[in-house]
Amino acid sequence: MLNVSVLTDPGFCPHSLNKFASVMACGNGYMGIRAAHEEDYTQQTRGMYLAGLYHRAGRNETNELINLPDITGIEIELDGVNFTLLSGDILSWQRELDFANGELRRTVLWRAPDGKRYRLDSRRFVSLAQLPLVAMQLSITPLDAASQVVLKTGIDATQTNSGRQHLDEVSVRVFDQHYLQGVYETQDRATEVVISTSCRLSSDSSDSCFSAKNRRVMAHHSLTLPAGDTVTLEKLVWITHRKDKTLSQETWARNALADLKVCAAKGYASLLENSARAWENVWRDARVDVTSTDKQDQMALDYAVWHLTTMTPAHDERSSIAAKGLTGEGYKGHIFWDTEIFLLPFHLFTRPQIARNLLRYRWLNLAGAREKARRNGWPGALFPWESAASGQEETPEFAAINIRTGTRQKVASALAEHHIVADIAWAVVAYWQATRDDAFMRNEGLTLLMETATFWMGRAVEANGRLEIHDVIGPDEYTEHVNNNAYTNYLAWHNVSCARQFMTMFGRDDAAFLANSTRFLTRLWLPEANAEGVLPQDDTFMAKPAIDLSRYKAKAGKQTILLDYSRAEVNEMQILKQADVVMLNYLLPERFTPQQCAANLAFYEPRTIHDSSLSKAIHGIVTARCGDTEGAYVLWRDGVAIDLGDDPHSSDDGIHAAATGAIWSGVIQGFAGLQIVEGELHLAPKLPAHWRKLSFPLRWRNAQMRFSFEDDVLTVESSAPVTLSLWGKTLNVSGLQTFARKDFLTSIAGTATTEGRYDA
Ligand code: IFM
């Protein structure tokens, strides 16, 4: 039995309500529900989201993930006093999210202002076994005297996205004295949502009635409870949505109610058991086990697998992963390059079918990407920087206030952050390398590669006697509108080169493409390293002045530099939000030696504030690959702290999905040293001093593998024969085998074949 972690909320605090609502959010990839308390607090943002359910609220808005009618709120009245932890005393508190079965629990012992004590227990889960199902229980026990208990709950459609309302109420109804149902429609009439709920009290002696007004359909229960007696409210909710309206709305809503009734007959405990079984499979397939002197390390890894599972719409290839998963409204639920570069690797190496779905999402949205390229005068496919349900560009027009002008600044990413095109191509290639899924490559993969490559071939311009790529933004968003951004040029080259290679491999004949790509690959300018191995980030970067960034680095993630300098001023200095060259070193390991990577880390680290949550973890992985495992561990822990650290507000509007992916990647690609080099699997485990053991499952082509590394001995178990490189030496592995690291270090020292890639 796996000993999966339990995440705790250390105590009630109005300042951290939203942080814990995000990090303890429950979900199943189909929906996500913020871990808001049952009772309301003015600072608390409730949130329930369905993957792929976007709508545009009006002019000057973009599509956003709809914050659905709330189902988690319960007004609790105890002897005429509204229960709130802002008054009275909290005598004891326990709040936890149990990753093993997905249950969020809270137990509070509360003394009301009149001195009477109550125990309140609540629990809820979003089912991983039945995607539309949410189950909740709330139990109340008056401890000192008989109490009058009133509970009001139901479906509250006053919920908005920061004031933007997306849904019209079509109908609300009560069935059989226990079931409430609300039918809603997006204001553009494209999508219908039906929310059905059953509310039952464990006591027969309650008075119950219903109300429906002002967009709230509610059940009211009231009863007198003797001291020491407990009453439990069980609330089950079934949430579905549709675009396809082949069934009449009435039949569709009736079917939803029937599904809910089947669940209601089973009850909370049995429904939880089903969901827990589904979670067991996730942990079996994906859990990373560490034995560390700090138990936060295992917690972080379980946290990552939890959210990587709950944020991913594995059931629906028409949806992808939002930058905040399904835990909040940050970035309006949009999808960025985060998916392909930070999130896809986890799925690729644990459940590759999900990685395939994520790539199919891009493929299904090719029309929008082609259209965006066309509108800008380029061929091929220019994927939107931010996307929602379609391939259309969703980047908002404006961002923060410019401190010099007092006006909002334009967001330039949609215009120039084109590296997303090559990032998608990179992921297509990684997918094929790890799965050898020829059917995918022949159909979707090759089309994606050729369309993206065609974009780059049209995007490059003749300048200085060569092909150059002008006016782009690399991943480092503090440096805008530059020429020959190293990350972009190298990734574009990789994109075109792979498109060509796979065309040949899969017999796709296109003479014009081949001729064009030959010209592109031989003539595209790839920025060159200086004598120390440092690559210039772009044409002008090296000539810009550098300033001491220590005070900004100390507040990494907060973008405090923008309180002192405007974006235009930052653009003219060596100030990086994240380092593009380090990112490039990470993604294309075969192109750079460890010496070059180390030189780039040394040069760019002092110039990088790490204001992007996508930054530190990548520095950590490259640091580990360069052999500095302890330095990598510090960076990995900093990455973990983005959502799990002490800052009470860093995750208010949702967790950082990419940083969550990087928790997994930091360990597997950092400490276990996993890389795909020239299409082959490489591992070179080396653990930080805090860790005694690391063990993890891995899918590679047709093999299910498990790696365990302890005392410098690696045990590999593989369901099928696999060729892989361990610490630089290529081997065939099958069944169960063990390898001592020291034997490889000797061979590394004695050969030139490793090109110094591995540190001893
Ligand atoms: O995609 C990232 C981007 O690189 C930096 N700003 C946040 C985005 C969403 O996470």
Side-chain angles (χ1 to χ4, degrees):
M1 191 64 195
L2 296 169
N3 194 12
V4 184
S5 311
V6 173
L7 178 65
T8 55
D9 175 352
F12 176 78
C13 167
H15 295 297
S16 58
L17 285 175
N18 284 321
K19 176 199 177 85
F20 285 98
S22 299
V23 299
M24 294 178 116
C26 296
N28 55 18
Y30 168 84
M31 75 171 107
I33 302 187
R34 284 170 66 76
H37 296 294
E38 285 73 19
E39 67 282 4
D40 277 334
Y41 297 96
T42 42
Q43 306 91 330
Q44 173 173 272
T45 308
R46 299 186 176 280
M48 178 164 85
Y49 313 93
L50 290 174
L53 183 51
Y54 295 88
H55 179 256
R56 198 163 74 91
R59 253 179 349 113
N60 304 329
E61 299 290 349
T62 57
N63 277 294
E64 64 184 336
L65 203 55
I66 300 175
N67 195 345
L68 290 164
D70 175 64
I71 49 128
T72 56
I74 305 179
E75 281 177 46
I76 305 165
E77 207 182 283
L78 302 170
D79 278 330
V81 175
N82 260 344
F83 168 68
T84 167
L85 293 171
L86 295 173
S87 69
D89 300 300
I90 300 170
L91 302 176
S92 76
W93 163 274
Q94 193 178 357
R95 190 168 191 238
E96 56 191 25
L97 172 58
D98 189 340
F99 290 139
N101 64 3
E103 193 177 38
L104 174 69
R105 300 184 281 259
R106 181 181 72 167
T107 296
V108 187
L109 194 59
W110 182 64
R111 184 163 52 214
D114 66 4
K116 281 192 240 157
R117 294 174 311 141
Y118 301 86
R119 185 188 151 109
L120 294 95
D121 294 285
S122 57
R123 46 185 64 219
R124 74 171 81 133
F125 67 93
V126 172
S127 175
L128 193 61
Q130 291 172 280
L131 299 181
L133 176 68
V134 186
M136 304 167 59
Q137 278 189 346
L138 169 70
S139 302
I140 297 182
T141 314
L143 297 174
D144 297 320
S147 261
Q148 179 69 20
V149 177
V150 178
L151 301 173
K152 294 181 203 163
T153 190
I155 308 166
D156 179 358
T158 61
Q159 189 71 34
T160 64
N161 288 66
S162 305
R164 292 177 296 278
Q165 182 56 263
H166 293 279
L167 297 175
D168 285 337
E169 186 182 277
V170 177
S171 64
V172 290
R173 254 201 83 167
V174 175
F175 296 89
D176 310 333
Q177 299 298 310
H178 288 299
Y179 300 98
L180 314 179
Q181 190 175 67
V183 180
Y184 308 91
E185 190 170 57
T186 49
Q187 290 174 345
D188 64 2
R189 312 279 162 253
T191 310
E192 290 171 341
V193 178
V194 60
I195 303 180
S196 314
T197 173
S198 74
C199 298
R200 273 176 199 271
L201 274 199
S202 57
S203 159
D204 292 333
S205 57
S206 72
D207 282 340
S208 298
C209 64
F210 302 93
S211 62
K213 75 174 185 193
N214 293 334
R215 297 177 64 95
R216 299 168 91 218
V217 54
M218 306 294 274
H220 305 235
H221 302 285
S222 79
L223 77 165
T224 305
L225 206 56
D229 272 17
T230 301
V231 68
T232 299
L233 169 74
E234 182 165 307
K235 182 172 180 183
L236 303 181
V237 191
W238 188 266
I239 304 145
T240 49
H241 63 120
R242 65 169 187 173
K243 276 194 194 307
D244 164 12
K245 297 177 186 163
T246 37
L247 285 181
S248 75
Q249 194 178 69
E250 207 188 325
T251 309
W252 176 63
R254 198 177 330 112
N255 290 350
L257 191 67
D259 289 335
L260 175 70
K261 286 183 175 177
V262 173
C263 296
K266 292 188 178 142
Y268 185 97
S270 145
L271 296 168
L272 177 61
E273 211 179 294
N274 285 346
S275 180
R277 269 201 297 276
W279 273 108
E280 247 170 61
N281 295 338
V282 171
W283 295 116
R284 183 201 57 216
D285 292 348
R287 187 167 195 239
V288 179
D289 242 307
V290 290
T291 308
S292 168
T293 52
D294 188 339
K295 67 179 191 328
Q296 282 309 310
D297 291 341
Q298 182 64 62
M299 164 66 73
L301 283 159
D302 289 344
Y303 169 86
V305 171
W306 164 265
H307 276 294
L308 287 164
T309 305
T310 60
M311 71 172 72
T312 306
H315 63 288
D316 178 14
E317 61 184 21
R318 289 210 160 262
S319 307
S320 185
I321 310 174
K324 302 284 183 180
L326 295 169
T327 67
E329 289 166 39
Y331 294 117
K332 297 180 182 289
H334 292 168
I335 296 138
F336 295 70
W337 70 309
D338 306 29
T339 300
E340 283 75 15
I341 302 297
F342 290 82
L343 303 167
L344 183 136
F346 163 76
H347 296 294
L348 180 55
F349 291 112
T350 54
R351 294 185 164 189
Q353 179 62 31
I354 298 178
R356 185 180 205 269
N357 283 356
L358 295 171
L359 294 171
R360 276 189 48 91
Y361 164 82
R362 295 297 188 182
W363 182 76
L364 290 165
N365 286 330
L366 255 172
R370 285 194 190 110
E371 174 54 26
K372 182 174 174 186
R374 216 68 68 235
R375 250 186 293 113
N376 287 280
W378 293 305
L382 170 52
F383 281 95
W385 174 243
E386 298 185 25
S387 61
S390 72
Q392 181 183 311
E393 180 60 74
E394 302 284 359
T395 306
E397 202 178 347
F398 293 104
I401 299 283
N402 179 319
I403 57 152
R404 305 277 175 237
T405 63
T407 57
R408 292 186 79 186
Q409 315 200 125
K410 287 238 174 199
V411 181
S413 299
L415 305 176
E417 205 160 346
H418 293 164
H419 64 82
I420 187 167
V421 173
D423 300 331
I424 293 169
W426 177 90
V428 167
V429 174
Y431 173 75
W432 183 84
Q433 287 171 331
T435 61
R436 289 284 163 92
D437 181 347
D438 289 348
F440 173 84
M441 186 51 95
R442 199 167 288 119
N443 187 23
E444 300 92 325
L446 207 44
T447 307
L448 281 166
L449 287 179
M450 288 177 69
E451 291 283 340
T452 48
T454 301
F455 166 74
W456 291 118
M457 293 189 289
R459 180 71 174 76
V461 292
E462 229 8 283
N464 302 312
R466 58 200 186 196
L467 287 178
E468 300 192 350
I469 300 178
H470 287 183
D471 192 17
V472 295
I473 305 175
D476 166 35
E477 293 171 337
Y478 281 173
T479 313
E480 295 180 346
H481 302 299
V482 289
N483 295 346
N484 296 317
N485 169 263
Y487 178 92
T488 308
N489 284 27
Y490 275 84
L491 265 287
W493 195 95
H494 176 73
N495 189 160
V496 175
S497 156
C498 290
R500 204 185 141 89
Q501 189 188 319
F502 283 102
M503 272 179 70
T504 313
M505 191 186 290
F506 286 88
R508 180 102 47 115
D509 258 352
D510 187 330
F513 183 97
L514 284 180
N516 216 354
S517 58
T518 306
R519 179 174 153 269
F520 180 89
L521 293 172
T522 46
R523 300 199 55 235
L524 180 71
W525 170 240
L526 294 176
E528 284 174 354
N530 67 15
E532 285 79 48
V534 177
L535 270 185
Q537 179 165 296
D538 56 64
D539 278 359
T540 50
F541 188 82
M542 292 307 195
K544 291 177 179 173
I547 60 167
D548 178 9
L549 295 177
S550 345
R551 51 195 263 256
Y552 306 109
K553 283 168 81 77
K555 293 195 172 158
K558 297 265 173 290
Q559 311 205 351
T560 50
I561 188 91
L562 298 178
L563 303 176
D564 292 342
Y565 299 95
S566 70
R567 287 291 287 264
E569 289 162 335
V570 168
N571 204 32
E572 294 314 312
M573 292 184 275
Q574 291 187 346
I575 298 176
L576 305 184
K577 191 175 182 190
Q578 63 184 93
D580 291 359
V581 173
V582 176
M583 188 77 214
L584 168 63
N585 292 161
Y586 160 65
L587 283 185
L588 299 180
E590 58 263 59
R591 287 205 77 123
F592 305 99
T593 64
Q595 289 74 16
Q596 287 170 325
C597 294
N600 285 311
L601 276 172
F603 180 80
Y604 283 106
E605 176 59 42
R607 292 162 172 80
T608 305
I609 302 181
H610 297 294
D611 268 344
S612 166
S613 60
L614 286 63
S615 186
K616 280 205 179 175
I618 301 304
H619 281 236
I621 294 172
V622 178
T623 301
R625 287 179 183 171
C626 290
D628 177 6
T629 315
E630 295 316 308
Y633 180 70
V634 172
L635 285 156
W636 182 75
R637 286 293 297 240
D638 284 353
V640 167
I642 290 171
D643 282 327
L644 291 179
D646 293 334
D647 184 337
H649 295 298
S650 60
S651 318
D652 282 357
D653 61 0
I655 62 151
H656 297 79
T660 307
I663 295 175
W664 182 89
S665 287
V667 171
I668 305 301
Q669 303 193 59
F671 306 129
L674 182 149
Q675 304 181 68
I676 303 179
V677 181
E678 321 240 319
E680 296 307 325
L681 179 64
H682 285 230
L683 280 106
K686 185 171 174 224
L687 302 186
H690 282 281
W691 292 9
R692 198 162 54 76
K693 183 175 176 193
L694 169 66
S695 162
F696 58 93
L698 193 89
R699 287 285 299 274
W700 179 256
R701 296 182 188 159
N702 61 347
Q704 175 64 58
M705 309 179 81
R706 172 161 282 281
F707 293 87
S708 293
F709 187 60
E710 184 174 13
D711 294 332
D712 270 1
V713 173
L714 180 69
T715 305
V716 186
E717 197 177 348
S718 180
S719 65
V722 163
T723 302
L724 81 171
S725 155
L726 287 182
W727 296 287
K729 188 170 167 191
T730 302
L731 302 161
N732 294 317
V733 176
S734 61
L736 185 69
Q737 285 179 257
T738 55
F739 305 93
R741 182 166 173 265
K742 66 175 169 32
D743 300 339
F744 291 78
L745 300 187
T746 321
S747 86
I748 286 171
T751 64
T753 52
T754 60
E755 298 168 348
R757 189 167 278 128
Y758 302 102
D759 166 79

